[in-house]
Coordinates of all heavy atoms in Angstrom, one line a residue:
T855 N 95.1 80.2 -57.4 CA 95.3 80.8 -58.6 C 94.8 82.2 -58.9 O 95.2 82.7 -59.9 CB 94.9 79.9 -59.8 OG1 93.5 79.8 -59.7 CG2 95.6 78.5 -59.7
G856 N 94.0 82.8 -57.9 CA 93.3 84.0 -58.3 C 92.1 83.8 -59.1 O 91.8 82.7 -59.5
F857 N 91.5 84.8 -59.5 CA 90.2 84.7 -60.1 C 90.0 85.7 -61.2 O 90.3 86.9 -61.1 CB 89.1 84.8 -59.2 CG 87.6 84.7 -59.7 CD1 87.3 83.5 -60.3 CD2 86.9 85.8 -59.9 CE1 86.0 83.4 -60.8 CE2 85.5 85.7 -60.5 CZ 85.2 84.6 -60.9
D858 N 89.4 85.3 -62.3 CA 89.0 86.3 -63.4 C 87.7 85.5 -63.9 O 87.6 84.3 -64.3 CB 90.0 86.2 -64.6 CG 89.6 87.1 -65.8 OD1 88.5 87.5 -65.8 OD2 90.5 87.3 -66.6
Y859 N 86.6 86.3 -63.9 CA 85.3 85.8 -64.0 C 85.1 85.3 -65.6 O 84.3 84.4 -65.8 CB 84.2 86.8 -63.8 CG 84.1 87.9 -65.0 CD1 83.1 87.7 -66.0 CD2 84.8 89.0 -64.9 CE1 83.1 88.6 -66.9 CE2 84.7 90.0 -65.9 CZ 83.8 89.8 -66.9 OH 83.6 90.7 -67.9
R860 N 86.1 85.6 -66.5 CA 86.0 85.2 -67.9 C 86.6 83.8 -68.0 O 86.5 83.1 -68.9 CB 86.7 86.2 -68.7 CG 86.0 87.5 -68.8 CD 86.7 88.5 -69.4 NE 88.0 88.8 -68.7 CZ 88.9 89.9 -69.1 NH1 88.6 90.6 -70.1 NH2 89.9 90.1 -68.3
S861 N 87.5 83.2 -66.9 CA 88.1 82.1 -67.1 C 87.2 81.0 -66.4 O 86.5 81.3 -65.6 CB 89.5 82.1 -66.4 OG 89.3 82.3 -65.0
G862 N 87.4 79.8 -66.8 CA 86.7 78.8 -66.3 C 85.2 78.7 -66.7 O 84.3 77.9 -66.1
L863 N 84.7 79.3 -67.8 CA 83.4 79.5 -68.3 C 83.2 78.2 -69.2 O 84.0 78.2 -70.2 CB 83.1 80.8 -68.8 CG 83.1 82.1 -67.9 CD1 82.7 83.2 -68.6 CD2 82.1 81.7 -66.8
L864 N 82.1 77.6 -69.2 CA 81.6 76.8 -70.2 C 80.5 77.5 -71.0 O 79.5 78.0 -70.4 CB 81.2 75.5 -69.5 CG 82.1 74.7 -68.6 CD1 81.4 73.5 -68.0 CD2 83.2 73.9 -69.6
V865 N 80.7 77.5 -72.3 CA 79.7 78.1 -73.2 C 79.0 77.0 -74.1 O 79.8 76.4 -74.7 CB 80.3 79.2 -74.0 CG1 79.1 80.0 -74.8 CG2 80.9 80.3 -73.0
G866 N 77.8 76.9 -74.2 CA 77.1 75.9 -74.9 C 75.7 76.0 -75.2 O 75.2 77.2 -75.2
K867 N 75.0 74.9 -75.3 CA 73.6 75.0 -75.5 C 72.8 74.3 -74.3 O 73.5 73.7 -73.6 CB 73.1 74.1 -76.8 CG 73.8 74.9 -78.1 CD 73.5 74.1 -79.3 CE 74.3 72.7 -79.3 NZ 74.1 72.0 -80.7
G868 N 71.5 74.5 -74.2 CA 70.8 74.0 -73.2 C 69.4 73.6 -73.5 O 68.7 74.0 -74.5
R869 N 68.8 72.8 -72.7 CA 67.4 72.3 -72.9 C 66.7 72.3 -71.5 O 67.2 71.4 -70.7 CB 67.3 71.0 -73.6 CG 67.6 70.9 -75.2 CD 67.5 69.6 -75.7 NE 67.7 69.6 -77.2 CZ 67.9 68.6 -78.0 NH1 67.8 67.4 -77.5 NH2 68.2 68.7 -79.2
N870 N 65.6 73.0 -71.4 CA 64.8 73.0 -70.2 C 63.5 72.4 -70.6 O 62.9 73.0 -71.5 CB 64.6 74.4 -69.7 CG 66.1 74.9 -69.1 OD1 67.1 74.2 -69.0 ND2 66.0 76.2 -68.8
Y871 N 63.0 71.5 -69.9 CA 61.6 70.9 -70.2 C 61.0 70.4 -68.9 O 61.7 69.9 -67.9 CB 61.7 69.9 -71.4 CG 62.6 68.9 -71.1 CD1 62.5 67.6 -70.5 CD2 64.0 69.0 -71.6 CE1 63.3 66.7 -70.4 CE2 65.0 68.0 -71.4 CZ 64.5 66.8 -70.8 OH 65.5 65.8 -70.7
G872 N 59.7 70.3 -68.9 CA 59.1 69.7 -67.7 C 57.6 70.0 -67.8 O 56.9 70.4 -68.8
L873 N 57.0 69.8 -66.6 CA 55.6 69.9 -66.3 C 55.4 70.6 -64.9 O 56.0 70.4 -63.9 CB 55.0 68.6 -66.1 CG 53.6 68.5 -65.7 CD1 52.6 68.9 -66.8 CD2 53.2 66.9 -65.4
N874 N 54.4 71.7 -65.1 CA 54.0 72.4 -63.9 C 52.5 72.1 -63.5 O 51.7 72.2 -64.6 CB 54.3 74.0 -64.2 CG 55.7 74.3 -64.3 OD1 56.6 73.8 -63.8 ND2 55.8 75.4 -65.2
L875 N 52.3 71.8 -62.4 CA 51.0 71.5 -62.0 C 50.5 72.4 -60.8 O 51.4 72.6 -60.0 CB 50.8 70.0 -61.7 CG 51.1 69.1 -62.7 CD1 51.1 67.6 -62.1 CD2 50.0 69.1 -63.8
M876 N 49.2 72.9 -60.7 CA 48.8 73.6 -59.5 C 47.4 73.3 -59.4 O 46.6 73.4 -60.2 CB 49.0 75.2 -59.7 CG 48.4 75.9 -58.6 SD 48.8 77.6 -58.6 CE 50.4 77.6 -58.0
F877 N 47.0 72.9 -58.1 CA 45.7 72.8 -57.7 C 45.3 73.9 -56.5 O 46.0 73.9 -55.6 CB 45.4 71.4 -57.2 CG 44.0 71.1 -56.6 CD1 43.0 70.9 -57.5 CD2 43.7 71.1 -55.3 CE1 41.7 70.7 -57.1 CE2 42.4 70.8 -54.9 CZ 41.4 70.7 -55.7
R878 N 44.3 74.6 -56.7 CA 44.0 75.6 -55.7 C 42.5 75.5 -55.3 O 41.5 75.3 -56.0 CB 44.2 77.0 -56.6 CG 43.9 78.1 -55.5 CD 44.2 79.5 -56.3 NE 45.6 79.7 -57.1 CZ 46.5 80.3 -56.4 NH1 46.4 80.8 -55.2 NH2 47.7 80.2 -56.9
K879 N 42.4 75.9 -54.0 CA 41.1 76.0 -53.4 C 40.8 77.5 -53.1 O 41.6 78.2 -52.2 CB 40.9 75.2 -52.2 CG 39.4 75.1 -51.6 CD 39.4 74.1 -50.4 CE 37.9 74.0 -49.9 NZ 37.4 75.2 -49.3
N880 N 39.8 78.1 -53.8 CA 39.6 79.5 -53.8 C 38.6 79.9 -52.7 O 38.7 81.2 -52.3 CB 39.4 80.0 -55.2 CG 40.4 79.7 -56.2 OD1 41.5 79.9 -56.1 ND2 39.8 78.8 -57.2
K881 N 37.7 79.1 -52.3 CA 36.7 79.6 -51.4 C 36.6 78.5 -50.3 O 36.9 77.4 -50.5 CB 35.4 79.6 -52.3 CG 35.4 80.6 -53.4 CD 34.1 80.6 -54.2 CE 34.1 81.6 -55.4 NZ 32.8 81.5 -56.1
G882 N 35.8 79.0 -49.2 CA 35.7 78.1 -48.1 C 36.3 78.4 -46.8 O 37.2 79.5 -46.9
Y883 N 36.1 77.7 -45.9 CA 36.7 78.0 -44.5 C 38.3 77.7 -44.7 O 39.0 78.5 -44.1 CB 36.2 76.9 -43.5 CG 36.8 77.1 -42.0 CD1 36.3 78.3 -41.3 CD2 37.6 76.2 -41.5 CE1 36.9 78.5 -40.0 CE2 38.1 76.3 -40.2 CZ 37.7 77.4 -39.4 OH 38.1 77.7 -38.2
I884 N 38.7 76.8 -45.4 CA 40.2 76.6 -45.6 C 40.5 76.9 -47.1 O 39.9 76.3 -48.1 CB 40.7 75.2 -45.3 CG1 40.4 74.9 -43.7 CG2 42.0 75.0 -45.6 CD1 40.7 73.5 -43.4
K885 N 41.5 77.7 -47.4 CA 41.9 78.0 -48.6 C 43.4 77.7 -48.8 O 44.1 77.5 -47.9 CB 41.8 79.5 -49.0 CG 40.2 80.0 -48.9 CD 40.1 81.5 -49.1 CE 38.8 82.0 -49.1 NZ 38.7 83.5 -49.2
G886 N 43.8 77.6 -50.2 CA 45.2 77.3 -50.4 C 45.5 76.8 -51.8 O 44.6 76.8 -52.5
Y887 N 46.8 76.3 -51.8 CA 47.1 75.6 -53.1 C 48.1 74.7 -52.9 O 49.0 74.6 -51.9 CB 47.6 76.7 -54.2 CG 48.8 77.3 -53.9 CD1 50.0 76.8 -54.1 CD2 48.8 78.6 -53.0 CE1 51.2 77.5 -53.9 CE2 50.1 79.3 -52.7 CZ 51.2 78.8 -53.2 OH 52.4 79.3 -52.9
M888 N 48.3 73.8 -53.8 CA 49.4 72.8 -54.0 C 49.9 72.9 -55.4 O 49.4 72.7 -56.4 CB 48.9 71.4 -53.6 CG 50.0 70.4 -53.7 SD 49.5 68.7 -53.2 CE 48.2 68.3 -54.4
S889 N 51.3 73.1 -55.5 CA 52.0 73.1 -56.7 C 53.1 72.1 -56.7 O 53.8 71.9 -55.8 CB 52.4 74.6 -57.0 OG 53.6 74.8 -56.1
Y890 N 53.3 71.5 -57.9 CA 54.2 70.6 -58.2 C 55.0 70.9 -59.6 O 54.3 71.0 -60.5 CB 53.8 69.2 -58.1 CG 54.9 68.1 -58.6 CD1 55.9 67.7 -57.8 CD2 54.6 67.4 -59.7 CE1 56.7 66.8 -58.0 CE2 55.5 66.4 -60.1 CZ 56.6 66.1 -59.2 OH 57.5 65.2 -59.7
T891 N 56.3 70.8 -59.5 CA 57.1 71.0 -60.7 C 58.0 69.8 -60.9 O 58.7 69.3 -60.0 CB 57.9 72.2 -60.7 OG1 57.0 73.3 -60.7 CG2 58.6 72.4 -62.0
L892 N 57.9 69.1 -62.2 CA 58.9 68.1 -62.6 C 59.6 68.7 -63.7 O 59.0 69.0 -64.8 CB 58.1 66.9 -63.0 CG 58.9 65.7 -63.7 CD1 59.8 65.1 -62.6 CD2 57.9 64.5 -64.1
G893 N 61.0 68.9 -63.6 CA 61.7 69.6 -64.5 C 63.0 69.1 -64.9 O 63.7 68.5 -63.9

């Protein structure tokens, strides 16, 4: 059918929510971090 970027658009409302966690080791022989997101 061809394409027009204005066609086929859904316009509405949204909700984003969740939890961000991060654990970091800043000093020592081994450094690094672990991050987890539930969203």
Side-chain angles (χ1 to χ4, degrees):
T855 63
F857 178 72
D858 183 343
Y859 77 93
R860 295 168 297 185
S861 65
L863 293 180
L864 300 170
V865 182
K867 297 178 291 185
R869 283 180 182 169
N870 296 351
Y871 51 92
L873 171 67
N874 297 321
L875 300 174
M876 176 174 285
F877 177 77
R878 185 183 295 272
K879 188 174 186 292
N880 304 304
K881 302 176 183 179
Y883 183 70
I884 298 178
K885 302 177 184 177
Y887 68 87
M888 179 173 63
S889 68
Y890 170 72
T891 298
L892 174 65

